[in-house]
Amino acid sequence: MEINGVEIEDTFAEAFPIKIARVLITAATKHWAEVAALEATGFGTSVIMCPAEAGIEKFVGPEETPDGRPGVYIQICTFGYESLEHQLLERLGQCVLTAPTTAVFNGLPDAEKQFNVGFKLKFFGDGMESETEVAGRKMYSIPIMEGDFLVEENIGAVAGIAGGNFFIFGDSQMTALTAAEVAVDAIKDMEGTITPFPGGIVASGSKAGFNNYKFMKATANEKFCPSIRDKVEGTEIPEGVKAVYELVINGLDEDAIQGAMKAGIEAAIAVPGVSKITAGNYGGKLGKYKFHLKDLV
């Protein structure tokens, strides 16, 4: 199938189950909410080696937050609920509690699974903490040097999906990068998803396992590396393609990932010089979720 002269390969992105917590961080200004969110989601690109996958979902205005201040939703993702709670405690305690003017609210208040993260963080107050309420939500007020840090008692989590993806082929590095950037911008408007890699873009897409180095869990996906196209049997790089970028998408449910992939692909194929869109999968052996590109566009 072709759209705007861009080949959309008849394949699917293969995704897998993951546990996701959703947190709302507010602050006196959007700048400080973003600073705290970036710190809390740092070192969160891939569970291959990171303790969690994490990223910014969306920014919201004061009219959409419990305390009437600018806010940002983040997602933190791990394979198990126990490790997820551990990551919440570490990231919120070390990266948000320490940031100027911030407060933390439950991003999934209706979820069945709830962690009492706020209750545990309150002990930083060393006995001087207190209970309060904001917009009907039970909060803990922890005295700190700038005033008081407010954190909601519970943070909710759900069984979500990780690994939605698509690849962008371009006639130059800047072409492919521009297409990836506009795709990320389009996905930023979609609720319920994150693109956890740097700036939302994967420059070094990998394959599971190895060809030569047995001590590696994941290695370069050589079939998608343009610089060694002539050296790789079964290369996936067509003539004239100079760069490939991947977008990886995690989300709260299938609809969220489908919507994000659709928005991203449609934005990418509008960039001149993009020749092909494909996706990564392991023939259905990695995860139970399959997002067929032809169904999205």
Side-chain angles (χ1 to χ4, degrees):
M1 174 170 52
E2 283 195 5
I3 301 178
N4 296 338
V6 179
E7 178 190 355
I8 310 295
E9 187 170 2
D10 186 7
T11 188
F12 61 90
E14 185 174 356
F16 50 89
I18 205 162
K19 305 299 189 289
I20 301 178
R22 187 172 187 247
V23 180
L24 171 62
I25 300 168
T26 67
T29 64
K30 178 183 177 182
H31 167 74
W32 284 114
E34 183 176 16
V35 167
L38 289 170
E39 292 289 341
T41 57
F43 194 47
T45 59
S46 171
V47 289
I48 291 173
M49 290 192 73
C50 296
E53 294 186 7
I56 290 175
E57 177 187 315
K58 67 172 184 174
F59 291 89
V60 290
E63 69 281 358
E64 299 180 69
T65 64
D67 60 358
R69 305 191 303 165
V72 55
Y73 281 93
I74 66 171
Q75 293 181 23
I76 300 172
C77 317
T78 70
F79 282 124
Y81 283 127
E82 183 177 352
S83 60
L84 183 55
E85 181 179 21
H86 183 71
Q87 286 297 306
L88 283 167
L89 285 167
E90 288 193 338
R91 291 171 183 263
L92 298 182
Q94 295 299 306
C95 303
V96 184
L97 172 62
T98 59
T101 77
T102 56
V104 169
F105 295 91
N106 190 348
L108 291 170
D110 298 324
E112 182 178 348
K113 184 66 176 179
Q114 298 287 332
F115 300 112
N116 61 346
V117 171
F119 173 81
K120 292 178 179 178
L121 288 177
K122 75 171 186 175
F123 293 108
F124 182 73
D126 198 25
M128 301 302 292
E129 69 280 355
S130 60
E131 291 185 17
T132 187
E133 187 176 287
V134 176
R137 298 179 181 226
K138 183 178 178 181
M139 310 285 294
Y140 290 102
S141 180
I142 303 170
I144 57 175
M145 291 193 297
E146 71 166 7
D148 293 293
F149 174 75
L150 295 178
V151 56
E152 192 164 352
E153 180 180 34
N154 295 320
I155 299 295
V158 295
I161 302 169
N165 70 83
F166 60 93
F167 296 1
I168 302 168
F169 290 59
D171 61 7
S172 72
Q173 188 180 80
M174 291 312 299
T175 292
L177 181 58
T178 298
E181 289 175 336
V182 299
V184 171
D185 286 342
I187 292 170
K188 285 179 180 177
D189 294 330
M190 311 300 295
E191 184 168 346
T193 61
I194 61 170
T195 51
F197 281 80
I201 300 168
V202 187
S204 59
S206 61
K207 67 178 183 294
F210 54 86
N211 293 330
N212 295 292
Y213 301 125
K214 296 182 179 180
F215 53 86
M216 295 292 291
K217 292 191 295 183
T219 53
N221 197 344
E222 71 279 354
K223 291 184 179 181
F224 290 92
C225 295
S227 66
I228 54 173
R229 175 181 180 272
D230 295 336
K231 301 177 182 179
V232 175
E233 183 178 352
T235 180
E236 296 285 347
I237 302 298
E239 186 73 37
V241 170
K242 302 300 183 184
V244 178
Y245 286 106
E246 178 184 7
L247 271 68
V248 170
I249 302 164
N250 294 358
L252 300 177
D253 53 39
E254 290 183 79
D255 288 343
I257 291 184
Q258 286 173 345
M261 288 181 63
K262 176 179 172 64
I265 291 171
E266 290 178 345
I269 62 177
V271 176
V274 171
S275 60
K276 182 177 178 178
I277 301 292
T278 188
N281 65 72
Y282 296 91
K285 298 177 182 178
L286 174 68
K288 64 180 182 179
Y289 300 102
K290 300 176 180 62
F291 298 96
H292 291 269
L293 300 186
K294 65 179 182 180
D295 295 334
L296 299 175
V297 296

